Amino acid sequence: MSTKRKYIESHWLVFGIKGAIAALAGLCLTLTTKENTEYLTAIVGCTMLGLALVELFNMLHRKRRQHTWGASFAISLIELVVAIFLLFTVKPNASASDTIALRVSVLSAYTLVASVIAIMLAFSGFQNTTDRAMWVIDGMIGCVLAFAMFNGIDVTTHIKIFGIYLLVKGLTDMYFGAHSREEMAELHAEKAAKKELPSKKKGKK
């Protein structure tokens, strides 16, 4: 039977690795001077595939430990579908402009959905107000960027905006992963201290 361990209580490495992947890709997309759409799409597709694989591993780990894994499954599925679409799917008999427009729409929709999920997880999972605020701000920035991406801009600008989204998300995840590691270390130290107290009392007797 699964336990009520929330998604945000996943191992800190999950957030650290996903954050590093997203931040590096975001930095690359925002700073690159290349305007080849196939090249930029390949970077985004590989990034999404990397995020999906890490999240899939997280889901399997949570399932094996009998923790709730629905949120992790949904996130990994969304990221995997977007990655496969960007890397392998081309609409039959579609022109290059139609294909680009479709990819732009998918990325815009993903940014909006992922941002809304982040806000929902923030309000349903966090007790620490700093962490909650960071995830909410991250989600709100994502929503704003998603609406900007829906606004009919050219594809190069669109991908650069998506790069900004990945950079913000990546930095947020890396910070949260580092903070989770610190909290885990403090929790283990408290447990160790509690175990030592009874033994010290017995020694005095």
Side-chain angles (χ1 to χ4, degrees), residues 33-83:
T33 56
K34 294 187 178 181
E35 297 185 359
N36 185 297
T37 55
E38 293 301 321
Y39 168 78
L40 296 174
T41 301
I43 292 178
V44 176
C46 290
T47 301
M48 297 304 301
L49 184 60
L51 296 176
L53 292 176
V54 176
E55 194 59 60
L56 184 61
F57 172 81
N58 183 37
M59 183 204 75
L60 295 174
H61 175 72
R62 291 178 65 84
K63 189 175 181 180
R64 184 173 63 83
R65 298 291 296 271
Q66 296 186 328
H67 299 153
T68 53
W69 48 273
S72 189
F73 172 74
I75 292 170
S76 64
L77 182 62
I78 293 170
E79 291 170 343
L80 187 60
V81 168
V82 173

Side-chain angles (χ1 to χ4, degrees), residues 20-148:
I21 293 172
L24 287 173
L27 198 61
C28 178
L29 291 172
T30 52
L31 296 180
T32 185
T33 56
K34 294 187 178 181
E35 297 185 359
N36 185 297
T37 55
E38 293 301 321
Y39 168 78
L40 296 174
T41 301
I43 292 178
V44 176
C46 290
T47 301
M48 297 304 301
L49 184 60
L51 296 176
L53 292 176
V54 176
E55 194 59 60
L56 184 61
F57 172 81
N58 183 37
M59 183 204 75
L60 295 174
H61 175 72
R62 291 178 65 84
K63 189 175 181 180
R64 184 173 63 83
R65 298 291 296 271
Q66 296 186 328
H67 299 153
T68 53
W69 48 273
S72 189
F73 172 74
I75 292 170
S76 64
L77 182 62
I78 293 170
E79 291 170 343
L80 187 60
V81 168
V82 173
I84 291 173
F85 176 82
L86 292 176
L87 292 174
F88 305 112
T89 305
V90 178
K91 190 175 179 182
N93 302 321
S95 64
S97 59
D98 288 340
T99 301
I100 291 172
L102 195 55
R103 287 171 175 171
V104 164
S105 299
V106 168
L107 278 183
S108 303
Y110 165 76
T111 304
L112 182 59
V113 170
S115 300
V116 171
I117 290 175
I119 294 172
M120 291 172 63
L121 289 173
F123 282 111
S124 64
F126 285 107
Q127 293 182 343
N128 184 292
T129 53
T130 302
D131 290 338
R132 181 190 299 148
M134 285 199 66
W135 275 51
V136 169
I137 293 170
D138 171 53
M140 292 175 66
I141 291 173
C143 288
V144 171
L145 293 175
F147 284 118

Side-chain angles (χ1 to χ4, degrees), residues 5 9 11-12 65 180-196:
R5 188 159 189 179
E9 295 175 309
H11 197 281
W12 65 269
R65 298 291 296 271
S180 295
R181 184 186 182 187
E182 291 176 1
E183 288 185 335
M184 189 181 297
E186 290 175 0
L187 183 62
H188 288 165
E190 288 177 3
K191 287 182 178 179
K194 287 180 181 179
K195 286 181 180 179
E196 288 178 1

